[in-house]
Amino acid sequence: AHVQINQHVALGGFYSRSFRGMAGVRYNDVTVKQEALLLQKGLGVRLSTGRAKNWRKYLAVNYSQVEILQVNEAYRLAGKSNAFGASLGIMRKLSNNLYLNVIELGVKVMSDEIFWFNTSNKVIIDAKMGLTYNIGKRK
């Protein structure tokens, strides 16, 4: 949900949870891929193009808390970190206040390492879609 400040700027919060996903961890020259789930929640600023009839491009800068859950056969591992990031996306207007985020591609840098990754790489690259509700006057 976002509060529309003006035609181009919105402030808001987000909650994003993966239905499924993969985490790839590189050990020396070997890449290991495991099933992993990602939860992100936080605050962001969205800068968007002017009001188009149906489609609107945007850039979002955000601060979030990231949780990663890796599912193994006999056990699960979970870790949490704060992250700063940015995303590029395109949304389609469904009504005056409701938009479908068709695709949003983002990069986030975590403040802490996830302990079982055994790497100093703190970067998350994600692709997501969802709904955005804009609170405020139609501008």
Side-chain angles (χ1 to χ4, degrees):
H2 286 81
V3 175
Q4 203 69 39
I5 304 300
N6 63 33
Q7 185 174 345
H8 301 285
V9 179
L11 300 172
F14 62 91
Y15 178 87
S16 175
R17 184 176 178 172
S18 62
F19 291 113
R20 58 183 253 198
M22 296 295 290
V25 181
R26 187 173 182 92
Y27 297 108
N28 298 327
D29 292 332
V30 179
T31 300
V32 177
K33 292 189 178 183
Q34 297 275 343
E35 180 183 344
L37 301 173
L38 181 67
L39 170 68
Q40 300 178 62
K41 52 189 173 184
L43 302 171
V45 176
R46 186 182 68 216
L47 306 171
S48 58
T49 58
R51 292 265 188 214
K53 186 171 183 174
N54 291 319
W55 296 95
R56 196 169 190 191
K57 299 171 193 157
Y58 63 91
L59 167 70
V61 178
N62 53 59
Y63 165 78
S64 60
Q65 186 177 56
V66 176
E67 283 186 49
I68 299 175
L69 173 70
Q70 185 174 322
V71 180
N72 296 304
E73 288 185 26
Y75 59 94
R76 294 179 179 191
L77 297 169
K80 218 185 252 193
S81 178
N82 295 322
F84 291 95
S87 323
L88 290 172
I90 187 165
M91 53 188 167
R92 179 159 174 81
K93 185 176 181 177
L94 300 176
S95 71
N96 284 341
N97 293 18
L98 189 62
Y99 288 83
L100 171 65
N101 296 77
V102 177
I103 186 73
E104 183 176 326
L105 303 173
V107 175
K108 291 181 178 46
V109 178
M110 296 183 293
S111 59
D112 301 317
E113 295 177 15
I114 301 299
F115 71 92
W116 72 89
F117 280 4
N118 195 21
T119 180
S120 61
N121 190 353
K122 299 177 185 179
V123 176
I124 294 176
I125 299 172
D126 62 356
K128 57 188 166 193
M129 62 181 294
L131 294 172
T132 295
Y133 187 79
N134 287 333
I135 302 165
K137 296 179 183 176
R138 184 176 178 191
K139 305 223 182 216

